[in-house]
Amino acid sequence: MAAPPPKQEELQPHAVRDQLPAVSYCLTSPPPWPEAILLGFQHYLVMLGTTVIIPTALVPQMGGGNEEKARVVQTLLFVAGINTLLQSFLGTRLPAVIGGSYTFVAPTISIVLAARYSGVADPHEKFLRTMRGTQGALIVASTLQIIMGFSGLWRIVVRLLSPLSAAPLVALVGFGLYELGFPSVAKCIEIGLPEIILLVALSQYIPHLVPLLGTAFERFAVIMSVAIVWLYAFFLTVGGAYKNAAPKTQFHCRTDRSGLVGGAPWITVPYPFQWGAPTFDAGECFAMMAAAFVALVESTGAFIAVSRYASATPCPPSVMSRGIGWQGVGILLAGLFGTANGCSVSVENAGLLGLTRVGSRRVVQISAGFMLFFSILGKFGAVFASIPGPIIAAIYCLLFAYVGMAGVGFLQFCNLNSFRTKFILGFSLFMGISVPQYFNEYTSVAGFGPVHTHARWFNDMINVVFSSKAFVGGATALLLDSTLHRHDSTARKDRGHHFWDRFRSFKTDPRSEEFYSLPFNLNKFFPSF
């Protein structure tokens, strides 16, 4: 008699993980020093993109030239180094880089276009005046995050988050920056596209084809690909490939068109009030406070993504609130030093944690050291800051995607067969993309936002808030998730709330002490709840 056929193995769903597996170095486990230093330099290279792009867009509109642009880049870099160290030592203690934020660009442009500066004929004088106005607005706006963070008010909001409401928020923090990806790559496709292809090949394919050197390619793919494509772009430049090209093409493709190297001093130390005493205007301050609130929401999503890629437990609400308070201090420093921009968690550096699988706190602290070092040695820092924009945009295509997928990953805690889950997730994601698209399209056509009253400050407040994809999507998801069938026990399980219950308080899970406790026994004086 023939033996019965072997039983087919029963398929099981993948296990739910509150810490991400397959991370090489987690939050508290640093790599060897040589590797850590190289990884820190890579984080510095990645954050340079935003640090250069924002002043490049703002300073000429403010009336400044290459010299002013180089100094603003240096100042923004210097303040980013200080803020990153403060966040990693005293804030959330996550490996989050705190750098420039696109959220503050719109209210800054509104200040530049204000009527009180329109009569200033001298460009340098106009630059100084608008910079001082921006400083005053940032100083006032910083109080919003400082109060909400250190008072514990933001802790109350974060406790309402479930995996279901966190998923759209985090996903749109990454995917919502899509306009900074391939559209910017296409501005010089002959160097942007090779960077994407090379970065994907080095980080994803080569490690499997060459196992012995796989780890090196996986961790340092950004440095390798940037070096190769930057050299390629240099040869195109010196070879005369863009000699007769349009000015816009030359600006995006050439390696000698940034003006940063020539404008930067050899050695300089940024200091508070270097542009003069700040000036204050109530309307401008209100508009900047709206941007600070949006940055607060977006940074919350980025912090959640960073904790995931650092293989830490979900950040306790009290620790998140503490981090937001220190980010408010960062905006205050940006106002005091004069960066023409606020600060938030760098989304691209959060994605780099996923690409390298190294979530070590020490690595990011080393990167902060590079920021401070190269901001003081201006000429050397300007060399790296002159990397063509399409190369940076190509890197964004991968790094923003990693952050977006950190949000999608939280759906493992949710019941995706529930129609409640499908509605909240689908509607919040759709509105998070659609509403800001309407605001941005309206502004690009009409020259002003959909909200257009006689009160310019009110217009800026509303238009800035509803132009943020992460804010609209996250707020929609949180509102629906907190009100729709909230007392239904099945809905609580469907939204994954029970998985995060033990992380609602700092003391409920013993791992919180390992990941988030303050150094030097400071928890005694500043306890977390």
Side-chain angles (χ1 to χ4, degrees), residues 442-511:
Y442 192 104
T443 303
S444 65
V445 173
F448 49 82
V451 179
H452 187 59
T453 66
H454 293 295
R456 188 180 184 125
W457 62 271
F458 179 77
N459 302 339
D460 292 337
M461 284 182 67
I462 305 301
N463 291 328
V464 164
V465 167
F466 286 97
S467 295
S468 168
K469 301 171 185 68
F471 175 83
V472 174
T476 304
L478 181 60
L479 176 65
L480 294 173
D481 193 34
S482 302
T483 57
L484 192 60
H485 312 317
R486 58 174 297 180
H487 297 299
D488 189 340
S489 59
T490 305
R492 180 179 172 82
K493 288 183 180 178
D494 289 347
R495 64 200 283 236
H497 204 282
H498 55 296
F499 280 108
W500 279 9
D501 271 346
R502 64 183 181 278
F503 306 114
R504 302 284 161 193
S505 169
F506 181 82
K507 297 179 180 177
T508 312
D509 192 285
R511 292 170 291 181

Side-chain angles (χ1 to χ4, degrees), residues 211-426:
L212 289 176
L213 299 173
T215 303
F217 283 109
E218 193 174 70
R219 289 183 193 159
F220 305 111
V222 170
I223 288 180
M224 294 178 187
S225 60
V226 167
I228 294 170
V229 178
W230 192 13
L231 188 63
Y232 162 64
F234 173 75
F235 285 138
L236 286 179
T237 301
V238 298
Y242 305 111
K243 191 175 181 181
N244 300 314
K248 190 177 283 188
T249 302
Q250 294 198 32
F251 177 78
H252 292 296
C253 297
R254 293 182 68 104
T255 57
D256 57 357
R257 282 292 184 269
S258 69
L260 292 174
V261 178
W266 281 101
I267 297 177
T268 184
V269 180
Y271 55 91
F273 309 122
Q274 58 186 333
W275 312 109
T279 58
F280 299 88
D281 177 87
E284 293 169 1
C285 292
F286 279 121
M288 198 65 82
M289 286 180 80
F293 181 67
V294 171
L296 180 155
V297 174
E298 292 175 347
S299 289
T300 299
F303 275 134
I304 294 172
V306 169
S307 67
R308 190 72 180 154
Y309 284 131
S311 196
T313 53
C315 192
S318 60
V319 174
M320 183 73 76
S321 193
R322 185 177 76 198
I324 292 299
W326 279 105
Q327 185 172 277
V329 173
I331 297 174
L332 175 62
L333 291 175
L336 294 175
F337 279 83
T339 62
N341 189 250
C343 63
S344 64
V345 178
S346 171
V347 179
E348 53 268 34
N349 288 88
L352 186 59
L353 300 176
L355 182 68
T356 60
R357 301 187 190 181
V358 177
S360 168
R361 182 189 296 133
R362 180 182 291 173
V363 167
V364 167
Q365 290 170 341
I366 291 171
S367 78
F370 279 113
M371 295 174 212
L372 295 172
F373 178 77
F374 284 115
S375 66
I376 294 171
L377 295 178
K379 291 286 187 189
F380 294 100
V383 171
F384 295 111
S386 63
I387 298 171
I391 295 179
I392 301 296
I395 299 171
Y396 286 170
C397 290
L398 265 73
L399 303 186
F400 291 160
Y402 265 105
V403 175
M405 283 310 301
V408 174
F410 289 119
L411 297 178
Q412 65 178 304
F413 302 104
C414 308
N415 178 13
L416 291 177
N417 293 317
S418 162
F419 279 95
R420 178 186 183 276
T421 302
K422 291 179 186 296
F423 166 68
I424 293 173
L425 181 63

Side-chain angles (χ1 to χ4, degrees), residues 142-168:
S142 69
T143 59
L144 177 76
Q145 291 196 15
I146 290 172
I147 292 171
M148 292 197 72
F150 290 135
S151 69
L153 286 173
W154 194 241
R155 178 181 66 204
I156 299 170
V157 178
V158 175
R159 276 185 175 153
L160 298 175
L161 284 174
S162 70
L164 178 56
S165 53

